[in-house]
Amino acid sequence: MKALPVEPSNAPVAIGSRIRAARQSQRLTIEQVADATGLTKGFLSRVERDLTSPSVASLVTLCQVLSVSIGDLFAAPETHLTKAGEGPRISLGGRGIVERLLTARSERRVQIIQAVIEPRGRGESELYAVDCDVDVLHVVKGRIRLVLTNEEFELETGDTVTFPGREPHTWVNPTDHPVEVLWVLVPAASR
């Protein structure tokens, strides 16, 4: 079997912004990284701006200091696009509601659900909780009432409320108009 020839690319690989992000996420200055690696501040600055490429030895040292895998610097980011109206339909309960998952099904760090609620639509009749740490409700359009164990919120377009994810709650659209909301669950609700 004949191997397919692969033409090498002379296009530079841009890893500087990932190195900078790793440094900044650890709250390290270029000077601190320079001291730890033995590389100069000027060289590190040029690497972070993709104006120069580090040698393999320098890159290994830099990754060790920043606790970053070399492979992560070159890996393509995992992205997921959901076009308007194309998210998969899901159902978390209630009536008069169409819910669409906007984040990837595999995403575990956060989950965003778009809900369009018909006039007089409502959540469960009993208070319920979602298995996540933080629950955020943002009203894109319309008005909704959020009912928690000890309080209620009347939310209008642009309003956002954040509450503990395991807090029992329900909701109702008290109007004769549809409502559009976003639910943000952190981390993604367990299934």
Side-chain angles (χ1 to χ4, degrees):
M1 182 179 287
K2 186 175 179 181
L4 294 176
V6 177
E7 281 196 35
S9 168
N10 289 334
V13 178
I15 60 171
S17 61
R18 290 182 177 175
I19 291 171
R20 181 184 318 107
R23 175 180 61 78
Q24 290 174 337
S25 73
Q26 295 180 39
R27 306 217 187 296
L28 295 172
T29 65
I30 284 184
E31 185 172 357
Q32 290 169 317
V33 174
D35 289 345
T37 60
L39 303 170
T40 68
K41 292 188 302 186
F43 176 73
L44 290 172
S45 174
R46 289 190 304 279
V47 167
E48 286 188 359
R49 291 180 288 140
D50 288 314
L51 299 177
T52 192
S53 296
S55 68
V56 172
S58 295
L59 189 57
V60 167
T61 301
L62 191 54
C63 285
Q64 287 173 338
V65 167
L66 296 175
S67 301
V68 174
S69 145
I70 290 176
D72 288 347
L73 294 178
F74 297 94
E78 196 176 308
T79 58
H80 174 82
L81 170 65
T82 302
K83 298 288 245 173
E86 292 182 5
R89 284 185 67 166
I90 61 172
S91 177
L92 295 178
R95 69 178 165 82
I97 183 170
V98 173
E99 297 166 304
R100 292 191 180 277
L101 182 62
L102 300 184
T103 48
R105 286 189 185 274
S106 60
E107 179 58 64
R108 293 287 170 240
R109 296 164 295 184
V110 66
Q111 191 171 51
I112 301 177
I113 300 164
Q114 175 196 45
V116 176
I117 305 164
E118 295 174 2
R120 308 294 172 188
R122 62 183 315 108
E124 302 291 327
S125 56
E126 297 288 325
L127 298 182
Y128 66 94
V130 177
D131 188 18
C132 64
D133 293 336
V134 178
D135 205 331
V136 179
L137 172 60
H138 174 76
V139 182
V140 175
K141 183 177 127 187
R143 203 170 94 220
I144 190 169
R145 179 182 308 126
L146 176 66
V147 180
L148 302 177
T149 305
N150 294 319
E151 60 187 321
E152 291 188 14
F153 294 93
E154 293 286 338
L155 304 166
E156 297 183 1
T157 300
D159 291 347
T160 304
V161 63
T162 304
F163 57 99
R166 292 171 187 88
E167 174 69 23
H169 66 279
T170 193
W171 48 267
V172 62
N173 173 359
T175 72
D176 293 324
H177 305 284
V179 176
E180 181 182 347
V181 302
L182 293 176
W183 290 97
V184 181
L185 310 175
V186 181
S190 343
R191 295 184 192 348

